[in-house]
Amino acid sequence: LLPPDQFIPILEDEGMLWKLDLYMGQQIIQSMRKKQQKGIPLVPVSINLSERDFTVCDMIDKLARRMDEAGIERKYLVIEITERAIGRDPELLKQIIEECGNSGFRVWLDDFGSEYSSLNILSNYHFDVIKLDQKFLKTMQKGNQKGKLLIAEILDFAKKADITALAEGVE
């Protein structure tokens, strides 16, 4: 078993991560198509994409074409973008997020509450779902009162802004 933190940085550094991400997207789409052909109801499946995926190729167009060829509605493939990626190139990511939405894909903000958190992300970008980072949520277990208040406020904001909030790793 090779954990992602051991191979993803290498693929990113070599400019090859987009190939793996596109391959994984294709595998997800093929799996959905088989289920659809068998009459099994589809549920959305998410895929994490790197901002570098979008600088090397038009990842959204490639995924959209594959979804269309398979006859699957785009709402069933969810694009997850980490807040760390937004910190690297905010303008590029803003364009990508808008393109995803305009192309019919749902967009999730992954790892919110990690070391790169910024409230500007919540106010300047449109996300369908905010995934609260597992490490951030652990502050509640440690009796961190400020952490508990902050999480409560983020959840309240998400509800008022009509954004779904998802707690990562609470299973």
Side-chain angles (χ1 to χ4, degrees), residues 28-111:
I28 292 166
I29 293 165
Q30 287 176 359
S31 175
M32 285 186 204
R33 184 155 193 229
K34 288 176 185 175
K35 288 178 182 176
Q36 192 175 50
Q37 289 171 339
K38 293 178 181 179
I40 300 170
L42 297 180
V43 295
V45 177
S46 64
I47 182 171
N48 286 70
L49 297 179
S50 164
E51 77 277 8
R52 292 187 185 170
D53 288 341
F54 303 100
T55 59
V56 174
C57 67
D58 189 346
M59 184 65 76
I60 299 304
D61 181 62
K62 289 182 180 301
L63 290 172
R65 278 191 279 129
R66 284 166 171 75
M67 294 289 286
D68 295 346
E69 289 168 5
I72 299 169
E73 292 179 66
R74 296 176 186 177
K75 68 180 182 180
Y76 289 111
L77 185 65
V78 175
I79 308 298
E80 287 194 37
I81 299 174
T82 63
E83 69 174 351
R84 177 180 51 228
I86 294 169
R88 291 183 190 157
D89 192 341
E91 285 307 308
L92 172 65
L93 266 292
K94 190 168 193 165
Q95 292 172 359
I96 291 166
I97 292 165
E98 288 175 6
E99 183 183 349
C100 287
N102 292 339
S103 297
F105 294 103
R106 297 188 63 205
V107 182
W108 291 13
L109 174 61
D110 193 17
D111 295 336

